[in-house]
Amino acid sequence: MKKLLFQFDTDTHPSVFDTVVAYDGGADHVIGHGNISPDNVGALVEGTIFTRAPKDKKNTAIFIGGSNIEAGQNLLAAVQGYFFPGFQVSVMLDSNGSNTTAAAAVAKLGSSASLAGKKAVVLAGTGPVGQRAAAMMALEGAHVSITSRHIFNAEKACFAMKERFGVDLTPLEAADYDSRAAAIQDANIVLATGAAGVELLKPEHWQHNPHLQLLADANATPPVGIGGTDVLDRGEERHGKIVWGAIGFGALKLALHRACIAKLFESNKQVFDAEIIFALAKAMA
């Protein structure tokens, strides 16, 4: 019985990255579909749940991807809406790597020091990874702020995470180097989740900050998001702070992603979203 993973992507083209990791995670075949929405997913879901005997349904699973986490959440809800007792398969949500990347970054930060009670700032945190990482840190007891160039976007992200996870986040407008430096002035933790190749902080903005303890940068494309750090940093100490680079915690992200794919095929009733993925990340970290 082949392990079949159906990749439902909200973008036009299913992610090649997600396809490769799915094979590395143990899927025998990965079948990708693009431009999937709640309006057109029904027949695809029905095809996954009606074709195999109950004991064999664990060998079929669904992965939801794409660049938009809101679209991914809506698609996950739609997919689950077609399930009913005896007719369901396991499903995983990881739009733009949001859950696995965020979970790996926060788990590694948490492995370096306790996050509870700390002040954390997620720079350029309105994307899928930034939003979910902010929520995960808040669930660990940190007081978290999200920055954006425009306060409206930061407020929207904080509201979305309040609605999804029940956490209170603080929106901050920080459009340039000086305002971002001001945003982290009293922070103990900084996580940069900006666009690839965009420097958010220069070395002088963080190296002499006496409050900072932990830094992580999700950007692997030069220049890095936090100047003076390296993508290969794996809990390195720099200027008295512990630093994690994108590749440094990326090894856990890939291992976590593969582990989740493997676990999808253990039973047909699992839903891998942020909470379960983060719990697994902490155990692996």
Side-chain angles (χ1 to χ4, degrees):
M1 183 67 65
K2 298 293 186 182
K3 295 176 181 177
L4 305 181
L5 185 70
F6 289 87
Q7 186 175 327
F8 297 166
D9 206 297
T10 58
D11 292 343
T12 301
H13 301 289
S15 165
V16 172
F17 182 99
D18 291 336
T19 301
V20 173
V21 179
Y23 278 112
D24 291 344
D28 293 314
H29 296 287
V30 181
I31 303 92
H33 297 273
N35 282 329
I36 301 302
S37 71
D39 295 330
N40 62 18
V41 76
L44 296 173
V45 177
E46 290 171 352
T48 69
I49 63 177
F50 288 125
T51 46
R52 286 175 159 172
K55 67 181 179 63
D56 295 324
K57 290 188 190 299
K58 68 179 183 179
N59 294 302
T60 303
I62 294 170
F63 178 93
I64 296 174
S67 58
N68 187 311
I69 184 59
E70 184 177 0
Q73 288 180 171
N74 293 337
L75 186 56
L76 173 62
V79 166
Q80 291 178 286
Y82 287 95
F83 295 163
F84 57 95
F87 292 87
Q88 67 186 88
V89 296
S90 290
V91 58
M92 175 179 173
L93 171 64
D94 200 29
S95 298
N96 207 36
S98 53
N99 284 330
T100 53
T101 303
V106 177
K108 282 299 186 183
L109 287 170
S111 72
S112 300
S114 172
L115 307 183
K118 302 291 176 61
K119 293 182 178 179
V121 176
V122 183
L123 296 173
T126 59
V129 173
Q131 289 186 46
R132 296 241 154 173
M136 290 172 187
M137 285 194 284
L139 291 171
E140 291 294 286
H143 307 288
V144 188
S145 300
I146 288 179
T147 79
S148 175
R149 288 173 296 175
H150 305 288
I151 189 63
F152 171 78
N153 292 331
E155 290 172 342
K156 183 179 178 181
C158 292
F159 177 79
M161 293 302 95
K162 173 69 171 180
E163 191 173 45
R164 169 61 181 82
F165 296 98
V167 296
D168 292 309
L169 308 175
T170 302
L172 297 174
E173 185 171 87
D176 53 29
Y177 286 118
D178 289 340
S179 57
R180 287 189 288 270
I184 69 165
Q185 186 173 4
D186 297 322
N188 310 120
I189 304 165
V190 170
L191 171 60
T193 59
V198 176
E199 185 182 58
L200 298 173
L201 293 175
K202 292 186 177 296
E204 59 267 26
H205 294 141
W206 64 268
Q207 289 179 348
H208 304 296
N209 184 322
H211 304 289
L212 277 178
Q213 301 172 16
L214 305 171
L215 295 96
D217 185 1
N219 180 21
T221 304
V224 295
I226 302 177
T229 67
D230 192 281
V231 294
L232 296 174
D233 284 341
R234 298 173 61 89
E236 307 296 331
E237 183 172 325
R238 295 182 181 272
H239 303 276
K241 299 98 168 73
I242 297 173
V243 180
W244 288 93
I247 296 177
F249 69 80
L252 175 59
K253 180 268 188 289
L254 286 170
L256 174 64
H257 194 155
R258 290 192 293 265
C260 289
I261 296 296
K263 287 181 175 294
L264 284 174
F265 297 109
E266 292 179 357
S267 78
N268 68 312
K269 298 181 180 180
Q270 303 178 92
V271 179
F272 280 76
D273 199 352
E275 292 87 347
I276 290 177
I277 293 174
F278 184 40
L280 181 57
K282 289 190 288 183
M284 293 174 67

